[in-house]
């Protein structure tokens, strides 16, 4: 409920990075699922679709896997092990 925290988070999300948008959304979806944040899940599902993930892929990512892509799968597994 903090405007400052939200602004800082949004600035971080929009910052220039060597991490691809797809990879960032894998982490966001996994962490949102682990935290059971309905708002975050809804927002990152929309953003995930914008990055080209299908609904089926989004559900797999939320479960901590991305078996169709070895790098994203490793990232999803790592994110789940850290956040979980």
């Amino acid at each position: 409920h903090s405007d400052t925290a939200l602004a800082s988070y949004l600035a971080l999300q929009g910052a220039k990075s060597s991490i691809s948008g797809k990879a960032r959304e894998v982490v966001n979806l996994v962490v949102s699922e682990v935290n059971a944040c309905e708002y975050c899940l809804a927002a990152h599902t929309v953003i995930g679709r914008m990055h080209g993930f299908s609904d089926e892929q989004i559900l797999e990512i939320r479960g901590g896997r991305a078996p169709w892509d070895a790098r994203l799968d490793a990232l999803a597994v790592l994110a789940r092990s850290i956040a979980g």
Side-chain angles (χ1 to χ4, degrees):
H1 299 353
S2 167
D3 292 338
T4 304
L6 178 59
S8 297
Y9 171 76
L10 293 174
L12 178 65
Q13 286 293 305
K16 186 174 181 176
S17 173
S18 61
I19 300 172
S20 73
K22 278 190 163 189
R24 189 176 305 165
E25 283 314 305
V26 165
V27 173
N28 288 334
L29 283 162
V30 170
V31 172
S32 296
E33 181 71 24
V34 168
N35 290 332
C37 178
E38 291 182 32
Y39 173 82
C40 296
L41 283 169
H44 290 295
T45 294
V46 170
I47 297 168
R49 286 184 191 130
M50 291 169 53
H51 283 287
F53 292 127
S54 69
D55 289 341
E56 181 179 308
Q57 289 173 325
I58 288 170
L59 290 174
E60 287 180 305
I61 294 166
R62 287 173 54 179
R65 298 302 309 259
W68 67 92
D69 182 296
R71 285 183 172 185
L72 294 179
D73 191 46
L75 181 60
V77 170
L78 176 65
R80 185 154 181 92
S81 70
I82 292 170

